[in-house]
C-alpha cells in the first residue's frame, strides 16, 4: 500500500474518528497513526500480519474500540493497559499466550474476544474488570478454570473448544454470569460443579460435545432449578 493511500485513510480517520485498514498485508502498526491520538475512537487493523503492537498504542486515550483479529501478535504491551476508555477489544486469531499484568486497569472494557489464541488458563486479570459483559476465550488451550473465576463480573463467558477437564466450583459465585458456554471440551459429568445448576445465576449452560451424554445432565440434582432459570430467561427474550 502506497503512502498516498495511507494518507487518504488518515485524512478520513481525522474526520470520522475511525481508522480501518483490513486485509492489506501490513506487517507493522502504522506509525503515522500517532498523529491522531486525540481523534481516534476506533482502530480496526484486522486480517493483516502485524507481529508487534508498539507502546505508542497507550497514547490513544480516547480509543473505545480496538480490533486486531487475525494478525500475528504473540504478546501485548503493558502500555495497552493505559486505555481507560477502551470498551471493545477483539484479538481473535492471534498467537497470544497471556495478557499483560496490568490488564485489569482497562476499567471501561465491556467486550473482550480472544478466540483462537494460545491461552492455557482463564487470565486472572479479567477478574478486576467491573464492566465486563462478554468474554470469548473459545478455541484456546485452556485446561482448567481456576478459583479466581468466581470474581469474574461477565454476563457471558465462552469457553467452547478448549481442553477443559476441571472447573472450579467458584464459577457458580459469579455475580452476573448468565451464559456459560463449555461446548467441545474434555469434561466428565463428575467434573461439572453441581452448584452451577442448583446455586448460580447461570440460565444458559451449553455443554454439548463433552465426555458425557446430555441426558445424564438432566439426572443431576439441581437440574430442575436450572431449568426454572432457563425457562424464565427464555420467556423474557421471547
Amino acid at each position: 500500500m502506497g503512502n498516498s493511500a495511507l494518507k487518504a485513510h488518515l485524512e478520513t480517520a481525522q474526520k470520522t474518528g475511525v481508522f480501518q485498514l483490513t486485509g492489506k498485508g501490513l506487517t507493522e502498526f502504522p506509525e503515522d497513526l500517532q498523529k491522531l491520538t486525540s481523534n481516534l475512537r476506533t482502530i480496526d487493523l484486522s486480517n493483516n500480519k502485524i507481529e508487534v503492537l508498539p507502546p505508542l498504542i497507550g497514547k490513544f486515550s480516547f480509543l473505545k474500540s480496538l480490533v486486531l483479529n487475525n494478525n500475528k501478535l504473540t504478546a501485548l504491551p503493558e502500555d495497552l493497559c493505559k486505555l481507560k476508555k477502551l470498551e471493545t477489544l477483539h484479538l481473535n486469531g492471534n498467537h497470544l499466550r497471556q495478557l499483560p499484568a496490568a490488564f485489569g486497569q482497562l476499567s471501561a472494557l465491556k467486550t473482550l474476544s480472544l478466540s483462537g489464541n494460545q491461552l492455557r488458563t482463564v487470565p486472572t486479570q479479567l477478574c478486576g474488570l467491573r464492566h465486563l459483559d462478554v468474554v470469548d476465550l473459545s478455541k484456546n488451550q485452556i485446561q482448567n478454570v481456576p478459583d479466581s473465576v468466581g470474581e469474574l463480573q461477565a454476563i457471558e463467558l465462552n469457553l467452547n473448544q478448549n481442553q477443559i477437564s476441571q472447573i472450579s466450583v467458584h464459577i457458580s459465585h459469579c455475580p452476573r454470569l448468565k451464559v456459560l458456554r463449555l461446548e467441545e471440551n474434555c469434561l466428565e459429568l463428575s467434573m461439572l460443579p453441581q452448584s452451577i445448576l442448583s446455586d448460580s445465576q447461570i440460565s444458559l449452560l451449553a455443554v454439548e460435545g463433552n465426555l458425557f451424554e446430555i441426558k445424564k445432565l438432566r439426572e443431576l440434582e439441581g437440574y430442575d432449578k436450572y431449568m426454572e432459570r432457563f425457562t424464565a430467561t427464555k420467556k423474557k427474550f421471547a
Side-chain angles (χ1 to χ4, degrees):
M1 191 183 66
N3 270 351
S4 56
L6 180 61
K7 201 173 165 200
H9 275 279
L10 288 169
E11 281 171 12
T12 308
Q14 192 163 6
K15 294 181 191 128
T16 61
V18 178
F19 185 82
Q20 188 174 28
L21 202 57
T22 59
K24 297 290 184 209
L26 293 181
T27 52
E28 48 191 49
F29 187 88
E31 292 272 312
D32 285 346
L33 277 187
Q34 58 188 325
K35 297 171 187 162
L36 300 178
T37 47
S38 56
N39 299 67
L40 291 184
R41 305 291 185 270
T42 300
I43 296 176
D44 183 353
L45 294 166
S46 297
N47 303 314
N48 282 295
K49 296 173 182 171
I50 298 168
E51 291 180 22
V52 176
L53 196 56
L56 71 88
I57 191 66
K59 294 180 179 168
F60 293 88
S61 45
F62 297 98
L63 201 62
K64 283 192 166 183
S65 174
L66 178 59
V67 184
L68 290 159
N69 294 334
N70 304 318
N71 276 283
K72 295 180 184 263
L73 298 170
T74 52
L76 300 171
E78 288 287 341
D79 295 77
L80 176 70
C81 309
K82 294 176 181 168
L83 301 177
K84 296 289 184 234
K85 291 200 181 338
L86 195 67
E87 294 177 6
T88 306
L89 180 58
H90 289 287
L91 294 159
N92 301 329
N94 280 283
H95 308 295
L96 300 169
R97 290 171 183 271
Q98 59 191 42
L99 297 180
F103 198 82
Q105 291 174 13
L106 291 171
S107 50
L109 203 60
K110 290 180 182 175
T111 306
L112 175 64
S113 285
L114 287 160
S115 181
N117 279 281
Q118 294 167 20
L119 299 172
R120 291 180 176 272
T121 184
V122 177
T124 51
Q125 296 95 313
L126 302 186
C127 299
L129 297 168
R130 294 280 163 241
H131 299 288
L132 210 49
D133 289 334
V134 180
V135 182
D136 185 354
L137 300 173
S138 61
K139 300 181 185 170
N140 276 279
Q141 296 160 17
I142 297 169
Q143 293 173 5
N144 64 5
V145 180
D147 287 351
S148 60
V149 76
E151 310 268 313
L152 191 68
Q153 298 287 325
I155 295 168
E156 176 170 345
L157 177 59
N158 185 343
L159 293 164
N160 290 347
Q161 292 175 281
N162 277 283
Q163 298 152 22
I164 296 167
S165 58
Q166 283 186 309
I167 299 181
S168 166
V169 68
H170 288 270
I171 197 157
S172 50
H173 300 167
C174 291
R176 299 168 69 216
L177 192 61
K178 298 276 194 290
V179 179
L180 178 58
R181 301 185 188 279
L182 288 162
E183 294 178 15
E184 295 178 51
N185 276 284
C186 310
L187 282 167
E188 303 268 0
L189 190 57
S190 59
M191 286 297 168
L192 191 70
Q194 283 192 8
S195 56
I196 289 178
L197 299 172
S198 60
D199 194 25
S200 78
Q201 302 286 321
I202 295 165
S203 55
L204 178 64
L205 176 65
V207 285
E208 286 78 8
N210 279 281
L211 307 178
F212 59 86
E213 293 176 53
I214 289 297
K215 64 178 189 223
K216 295 278 186 211
L217 185 67
R218 298 179 196 134
E219 294 163 15
L220 288 185
E221 203 178 323
Y223 187 77
D224 50 345
K225 278 192 169 177
Y226 162 68
M227 279 314 289
E228 279 173 23
R229 295 193 304 273
F230 176 80
T231 311
T233 308
K234 249 181 126 169
K235 279 184 184 146
K236 200 166 84 178
F237 292 116

